[in-house]
Amino acid sequence: MVGLFGKNPKEKNTLQKRKDLRKLVKQKQYDDALKLGLEILQKAQYEQNVLFIVGGIHYMRNQYQTAMPYFEKALDIGAYDVEVLTLKANSHYFLGEPKKALACCEKIKEIDPKNKAVAELISKIK
C-alpha cells in the first residue's frame, strides 16, 4: 500500500543520500563524497549518477584505472552519456591506451559531432 500513497522509505533514504552526495561534491569534500557514493552503490548498484560521481572523483585523483569500472557500468546504463564517455576516453589516453581512447572519441563524435573536448583529445592522440 505504500506505493499508492507515497514513496517507499528505502527510496526516500536513497534519494536523500544522493542529495547529500551532490552537496558534498559541491563543497569539494571528496573523501566524504566517495565514502557516501560507495555506500549508496552497495545498496543500489545501478545508480548512474552515483557511478559517474564516484568514477569522477577517482579520475580527478588521477586514479584512472580505478575510475574505469565505474564509467563502464555507468555506460552500461546510459550508453550515450557524453560526459562519461569523455572521462573514459581521457582515462584511456592517460593510461596509454590510444586505440581505446579513439574508440570512445568516435562514439562521442556520433552523438555530438561538434564536441570540442573530443576534437582536442583526438589531436593529442594523433
Side-chain angles (χ1 to χ4, degrees), residues 20-67:
D20 294 343
L21 177 62
R22 284 189 199 89
K23 186 177 176 182
L24 289 170
V25 170
K26 202 174 216 179
Q27 295 170 346
K28 298 183 180 184
Q29 296 179 9
Y30 299 122
D31 288 335
D32 292 337
L34 190 58
K35 187 186 295 186
L36 182 58
L38 292 173
E39 181 183 321
I40 294 168
L41 290 174
Q42 282 181 337
K43 295 176 181 157
Q45 60 184 327
Y46 298 106
E47 290 283 340
Q48 184 184 17
N49 291 331
V50 177
L51 289 163
F52 174 72
I53 290 169
V54 171
I57 291 170
H58 286 296
Y59 176 87
M60 288 186 315
R61 293 179 169 178
N62 301 326
Q63 299 170 338
Y64 308 113
Q65 197 68 48
T66 306

Side-chain angles (χ1 to χ4, degrees), residues 90-105:
N90 279 297
S91 294
H92 282 304
Y93 172 73
F94 291 126
L95 289 169
E97 301 170 337
K99 288 181 182 178
K100 290 180 180 180
L102 284 173
C104 290
C105 291

Side-chain angles (χ1 to χ4, degrees), residues 75-89:
L75 289 168
D76 286 344
I77 298 164
Y80 299 103
D81 190 323
V82 174
E83 290 179 308
V84 178
L85 280 166
T86 302
L87 291 182
K88 185 177 180 196

